[in-house]
Amino acid sequence: MPITISELSKQTISRLIRSEFDKIDTNNEFIYNKSEKLITTAKEFGLHDLAEEMTNDLN
């Protein structure tokens, strides 16, 4: 079922996801795979630009 969220909520969710992404310890990422979970969450909320940005940051 699609989720409809306001623009303000999208900005808040984007900021929270990005903040968590920026805190990721790259030395342990292969164990926890937190970045992929955050990217998937961004996609599920329709935040495709954010998901693409984070994917690019991984590379």
Side-chain angles (χ1 to χ4, degrees), residues 6-49:
S6 70
E7 191 58 40
L8 180 60
S9 292
K10 281 184 180 182
Q11 291 173 3
T12 302
I13 292 167
S14 294
R15 193 171 44 252
L16 291 170
I17 291 172
R18 184 64 207 207
S19 176
E20 282 301 306
F21 184 83
D22 290 340
K23 292 178 188 176
I24 292 174
D25 179 6
T26 55
N27 295 325
N28 295 323
E29 178 58 11
F30 70 96
I31 297 171
Y32 300 109
N33 201 26
K34 190 173 182 180
S35 61
E36 285 303 317
K37 293 173 186 173
L38 291 169
I39 291 169
T40 300
T41 300
K43 288 178 183 176
E44 288 175 354
F45 278 96
L47 305 169
H48 300 289
D49 291 340

